[in-house]
Amino acid sequence: MTITDRMLIGAIASNPGDYEKAGQARYCFTTQTIYFSSAKSPAPEDANNNYFDLPALNADGSKKLVTAFQRYIKRWPEDRQAIIEKFALRRGWELAMELHYGGGALTDQESAEWRKIVDGRLTQLVAAARRYIEAGPGAAKEIIE
């Protein structure tokens, strides 16, 4: 089965990115599938050693999205930044990045703007993974960086 960009987006967006802990989304060149594996529960596809780890949008513990969001809100008026920062101190940065209807701090417009940033990063990661898949198992892993 051909791996679609939509499949890659889902795998990359939900990838915990830590094989030793929560697990890692991977692509198997032999079966041409995306699968999930972890140290606690290794997948059978790991045995053929013909896979690569898919990138993670926000790997567990990396705080990549939080850092990007903190830089992003610096464009906003100081009073709005202060409101978001106060919210984040009370409820956490992860929730501050969410739409206010879901308990987060963002308005509809702010959420739409932030979503464009996240979607842009996802597009970059999907393109990198796609290049690696097309290059095959002998390609350098730096392609996905």
Side-chain angles (χ1 to χ4, degrees):
M1 177 166 92
T2 303
I3 299 298
T4 65
D5 285 353
R6 184 175 221 156
M7 294 164 79
L8 284 170
I9 287 170
I12 291 169
S14 65
N15 188 3
D18 189 347
Y19 180 78
E20 297 300 322
K21 293 183 182 172
Q24 177 73 44
R26 293 179 166 173
Y27 175 81
C28 178
F29 288 104
T30 304
T31 62
Q32 297 181 344
T33 57
I34 295 171
Y35 69 97
F36 190 80
S37 188
S38 69
K40 290 180 185 174
S41 182
E45 293 89 344
D46 286 350
N48 70 30
N49 206 22
N50 196 19
Y51 63 85
F52 81 96
D53 296 337
L54 288 171
L57 175 65
N58 192 31
D60 286 359
S62 75
K63 302 289 184 196
K64 285 182 184 179
L65 278 182
V66 168
T67 302
F69 183 70
Q70 289 169 335
R71 282 193 313 257
Y72 178 68
I73 66 170
K74 296 297 179 199
R75 310 174 184 191
W76 296 353
E78 287 185 27
D79 59 330
R80 184 63 180 141
Q81 288 178 45
I83 291 168
I84 298 289
E85 289 167 357
K86 184 178 178 182
F87 181 97
L89 286 174
R90 286 192 330 258
R91 310 225 16 228
W93 280 103
E94 295 288 339
L95 193 54
M97 292 186 283
E98 299 294 328
L99 189 58
H100 65 93
Y101 299 120
L106 300 182
T107 65
D108 290 339
Q109 181 181 352
E110 292 166 346
S111 179
E113 291 172 11
W114 176 237
R115 178 66 191 223
K116 286 180 186 177
I117 302 294
V118 172
D119 286 348
R121 181 61 181 146
L122 264 173
T123 299
Q124 291 172 342
L125 293 172
V126 166
R130 175 73 59 207
R131 285 190 303 273
Y132 193 75
I133 289 168
E134 290 170 0
K141 291 203 180 203
E142 290 79 36
I143 281 180
I144 66 167
E145 298 301 318

